[in-house]
Coordinates of all heavy atoms in Angstrom, one line a residue:
H61 N 96.3 90.0 87.5 CA 97.7 90.3 87.9 C 98.1 89.4 89.1 O 97.2 88.9 89.8 CB 97.9 91.7 88.4 CG 97.2 92.2 89.6 ND1 97.7 91.9 90.8 CD2 96.1 92.9 89.7 CE1 96.9 92.4 91.7 NE2 95.9 93.0 91.1
G62 N 99.3 89.1 89.2 CA 99.9 88.2 90.3 C 100.7 88.9 91.3 O 101.5 88.2 92.0
G63 N 100.7 90.2 91.3 CA 101.5 90.9 92.3 C 102.6 91.8 91.7 O 103.0 91.6 90.5
A64 N 103.1 92.7 92.4 CA 104.1 93.7 92.0 C 105.2 93.7 93.0 O 105.0 93.4 94.2 CB 103.6 95.1 91.7
G65 N 106.4 94.0 92.6 CA 107.5 94.2 93.5 C 108.8 94.1 92.8 O 109.0 94.4 91.6
T66 N 109.9 93.5 93.5 CA 111.1 93.3 92.8 C 110.9 92.2 91.8 O 110.3 91.2 92.0 CB 112.2 92.9 93.8 OG1 112.4 93.8 94.8 CG2 113.5 92.6 93.1
N120 N 100.3 85.3 96.5 CA 100.0 85.6 97.9 C 98.5 85.9 98.0 O 98.1 87.0 98.2 CB 100.8 86.8 98.2 CG 100.6 87.3 99.6 OD1 100.0 86.6 100.5 ND2 100.9 88.6 99.9
I231 N 108.9 88.9 93.4 CA 107.5 89.4 93.4 C 106.8 88.9 94.6 O 106.7 87.8 94.9 CB 106.7 89.0 92.1 CG1 107.3 89.6 90.9 CG2 105.2 89.3 92.2 CD1 107.0 91.0 90.7
T232 N 106.1 89.8 95.3 CA 105.3 89.5 96.4 C 104.0 90.4 96.3 O 104.0 91.5 95.7 CB 105.8 89.7 97.8 OG1 106.2 91.2 97.9 CG2 107.0 88.8 98.0
G233 N 102.8 90.0 96.7 CA 101.7 90.9 96.7 C 100.4 90.2 96.3 O 100.2 89.0 96.3
T234 N 99.5 91.1 96.0 CA 98.1 90.7 95.7 C 97.9 90.1 94.5 O 98.7 90.2 93.6 CB 97.4 92.1 95.8 OG1 97.7 92.7 97.0 CG2 96.0 92.1 95.6
V235 N 96.6 89.5 94.3 CA 96.3 89.1 93.0 C 94.9 89.8 92.6 O 94.2 90.3 93.5 CB 96.0 87.6 92.9 CG1 97.2 86.8 93.4 CG2 94.7 87.1 93.7
G236 N 94.6 89.9 91.4 CA 93.4 90.6 90.9 C 92.9 90.3 89.6 O 93.7 89.7 88.8
T250 N 89.9 91.7 93.8 CA 91.2 91.7 94.4 C 91.3 90.8 95.5 O 90.3 90.8 96.3 CB 91.7 93.2 94.7 OG1 91.4 94.0 93.6 CG2 93.2 93.2 95.0
S251 N 92.4 90.1 95.7 CA 92.5 89.2 96.9 C 94.0 89.2 97.3 O 94.9 89.2 96.5 CB 92.0 87.8 96.5 OG 92.1 86.9 97.6
T252 N 94.2 89.0 98.7 CA 95.5 89.0 99.2 C 95.7 88.4 100.5 O 94.7 88.3 101.3 CB 96.1 90.4 99.3 OG1 97.5 90.5 99.5 CG2 95.4 91.3 100.4
G253 N 96.9 87.9 100.8 CA 97.3 87.5 102.1 C 97.9 88.6 102.9 O 98.2 88.5 104.1
G254 N 98.1 89.7 102.3 CA 98.7 90.9 103.0 C 100.2 90.9 102.9 O 100.8 90.5 101.9
M255 N 100.8 91.4 104.0 CA 102.3 91.5 104.1 C 102.9 90.6 105.0 O 102.4 90.3 106.0 CB 102.7 92.9 104.6 CG 102.2 94.1 103.7 SD 102.2 95.7 104.6 CE 104.1 95.7 105.0
T256 N 104.1 90.0 104.6 CA 104.8 89.1 105.5 C 105.1 89.8 106.8 O 105.6 90.9 106.9 CB 106.1 88.6 104.8 OG1 105.8 87.9 103.7 CG2 106.8 87.7 105.8
R262 N 96.0 93.9 110.9 CA 96.3 94.8 109.8 C 95.4 94.6 108.5 O 95.3 93.4 108.1 CB 97.8 94.8 109.4 CG 98.2 95.7 108.4 CD 98.2 95.2 107.0 NE 98.8 96.1 106.0 CZ 98.8 95.8 104.6 NH1 98.3 94.5 104.2 NH2 99.3 96.5 103.8
V263 N 94.9 95.6 108.0 CA 94.1 95.5 106.7 C 94.7 96.4 105.7 O 95.0 97.6 106.0 CB 92.6 95.8 107.0 CG1 91.9 95.8 105.7 CG2 92.0 94.9 107.9
G264 N 95.0 95.9 104.5 CA 95.6 96.8 103.5 C 94.6 97.3 102.5 O 93.3 97.4 102.9
D265 N 94.9 97.6 101.3 CA 94.1 98.2 100.3 C 93.1 97.2 99.7 O 92.1 97.6 99.0 CB 94.8 99.0 99.3 CG 95.7 98.1 98.4 OD1 96.5 97.3 99.0 OD2 95.6 98.2 97.2
S266 N 93.5 95.9 99.6 CA 92.8 95.1 98.7 C 91.2 94.9 99.1 O 90.4 94.8 98.0 CB 93.4 93.6 98.9 OG 94.8 93.7 98.4
A271 N 90.4 101.9 96.7 CA 91.9 101.9 97.0 C 92.4 100.7 96.2 O 93.2 100.9 95.2 CB 92.2 101.7 98.4
G272 N 92.0 99.5 96.6 CA 92.6 98.3 95.9 C 91.6 97.8 94.7 O 92.2 97.1 93.9
S283 N 92.2 97.0 89.4 CA 92.7 96.1 90.6 C 94.1 96.5 90.9 O 95.0 96.5 90.0 CB 92.5 94.6 90.3 OG 93.0 93.9 91.4
A284 N 94.5 96.8 92.1 CA 95.8 97.3 92.4 C 96.6 96.3 93.2 O 96.1 95.3 93.9 CB 95.7 98.6 93.2
T285 N 97.9 96.4 93.2 CA 98.8 95.7 94.1 C 100.1 96.5 94.4 O 100.6 97.3 93.6 CB 99.3 94.4 93.2 OG1 100.4 93.7 94.0 CG2 99.9 94.8 91.9
G286 N 100.5 96.4 95.6 CA 101.7 97.1 96.0 C 101.6 97.5 97.5 O 101.0 96.7 98.3
H287 N 102.2 98.6 97.9 CA 102.2 99.0 99.3 C 100.8 99.5 99.7 O 100.4 100.6 99.3 CB 103.3 100.2 99.5 CG 104.6 99.7 99.3 ND1 105.2 99.6 98.2 CD2 105.5 99.3 100.3 CE1 106.5 99.2 98.4 NE2 106.7 98.9 99.6
G288 N 100.0 98.7 100.4 CA 98.6 98.9 100.6 C 98.2 100.2 101.3 O 97.3 100.9 100.9
E289 N 99.1 100.6 102.3 CA 98.8 101.8 103.0 C 98.9 103.1 102.0 O 98.1 104.0 102.2 CB 99.8 102.0 104.2 CG 99.5 101.1 105.4 CD 99.9 99.6 105.2 OE1 100.4 99.3 104.2 OE2 99.4 98.9 106.1
V290 N 99.8 103.0 101.2 CA 99.9 104.2 100.3 C 98.7 104.2 99.3 O 98.2 105.2 98.9 CB 101.2 104.1 99.5 CG1 101.3 105.1 98.3 CG2 102.4 104.4 100.5
F291 N 98.3 103.0 98.8 CA 97.2 102.9 97.9 C 95.9 103.3 98.6 O 94.9 103.9 98.0 CB 97.0 101.5 97.4 CG 98.0 101.3 96.2 CD1 99.3 101.0 96.4 CD2 97.4 101.1 94.9 CE1 100.2 100.8 95.3 CE2 98.3 100.9 93.8 CZ 99.7 100.7 94.0
I292 N 95.7 103.1 99.9 CA 94.6 103.6 100.7 C 94.6 105.1 100.8 O 93.7 105.9 100.5 CB 94.6 103.0 102.0 CG1 94.3 101.5 102.0 CG2 93.5 103.7 102.9 CD1 94.4 100.8 103.3
A296 N 93.7 105.1 95.3 CA 94.3 104.8 94.1 C 93.4 104.5 92.9 O 93.3 105.2 91.9 CB 95.3 103.7 94.1
V319 N 99.6 105.7 89.5 CA 100.5 104.7 89.9 C 102.0 105.2 89.8 O 102.8 105.0 90.8 CB 100.3 103.5 89.1 CG1 101.4 102.4 89.5 CG2 98.9 102.9 89.5
L323 N 101.5 108.1 93.5 CA 101.7 107.2 94.7 C 103.2 107.2 95.1 O 103.4 107.2 96.4 CB 101.2 105.8 94.4 CG 99.7 105.7 94.2 CD1 99.3 104.3 93.9 CD2 98.9 106.4 95.3
G327 N 105.4 107.6 99.2 CA 106.2 106.7 99.8 C 106.1 105.2 99.5 O 106.6 104.4 100.2
G328 N 105.3 104.9 98.4 CA 105.1 103.5 98.1 C 105.1 103.2 96.6 O 104.8 104.2 95.8
T329 N 105.3 102.0 96.2 CA 105.3 101.6 94.8 C 104.3 100.4 94.6 O 103.8 99.9 95.6 CB 106.7 101.2 94.4 OG1 107.1 100.0 95.1 CG2 107.6 102.3 94.5
G330 N 104.1 100.1 93.4 CA 103.2 99.1 93.0 C 102.7 99.1 91.6 O 103.3 99.7 90.8
G331 N 101.5 98.5 91.4 CA 101.0 98.6 90.1 C 99.5 98.4 90.0 O 98.9 98.3 91.1
V332 N 98.9 98.5 88.8 CA 97.5 98.4 88.7 C 97.2 97.8 87.3 O 97.9 98.1 86.3 CB 96.8 99.7 88.8 CG1 97.0 100.7 87.7 CG2 95.2 99.6 89.0
I333 N 96.1 97.0 87.2 CA 95.6 96.6 85.9 C 94.3 97.4 85.8 O 93.5 97.4 86.6 CB 95.4 95.1 85.7 CG1 94.5 94.5 86.8 CG2 96.8 94.4 85.6 CD1 94.1 93.0 86.6
P344 N 100.2 100.0 84.2 CA 101.4 100.7 84.7 C 101.8 100.2 86.1 O 101.1 99.7 86.8 CB 100.8 102.1 84.8 CG 99.4 102.0 85.1 CD 99.0 100.7 84.3
H345 N 103.1 100.3 86.3 CA 103.7 99.9 87.7 C 104.9 100.8 87.9 O 105.7 101.0 87.0 CB 104.0 98.5 87.7 CG 104.8 98.0 86.7 ND1 106.1 97.8 86.7 CD2 104.4 97.5 85.4 CE1 106.6 97.3 85.6 NE2 105.6 97.1 84.8
S346 N 105.0 101.3 89.1 CA 106.2 102.0 89.6 C 107.2 101.0 90.3 O 108.4 101.4 90.5 CB 105.7 103.1 90.6 OG 105.0 102.6 91.7
S347 N 106.8 99.9 90.6 CA 107.7 98.8 91.0 C 108.6 98.3 89.9 O 108.2 98.5 88.8 CB 107.0 97.7 91.7 OG 106.0 97.2 90.8
E348 N 109.6 97.6 90.2 CA 110.4 97.1 89.2 C 109.8 96.1 88.3 O 109.9 96.0 87.1 CB 111.7 96.3 89.9 CG 112.7 95.9 88.8 CD 113.8 95.2 89.4 OE1 113.8 94.9 90.7 OE2 114.8 94.8 88.7
G349 N 108.8 95.3 88.9 CA 108.2 94.3 88.1 C 106.7 94.1 88.5 O 106.4 94.5 89.6
M350 N 105.9 93.5 87.6 CA 104.5 93.1 88.0 C 104.2 91.9 87.1 O 104.5 92.0 85.8 CB 103.6 94.3 87.7 CG 102.1 94.0 88.1 SD 101.0 95.4 88.2 CE 100.7 95.6 86.4

Side-chain angles (χ1 to χ4, degrees):
H61 70 77
T66 301
N120 177 21
I231 293 281
T232 58
T234 302
V235 305
T250 311
S251 182
T252 189
M255 300 167 58
T256 298
R262 179 263 184 186
V263 176
D265 66 305
S266 296
S283 174
T285 172
H287 292 84
E289 283 71 13
V290 168
F291 278 73
I292 293 172
V319 174
L323 296 184
T329 60
V332 69
I333 52 173
H345 51 95
S346 53
S347 54
E348 184 184 8
M350 183 169 75

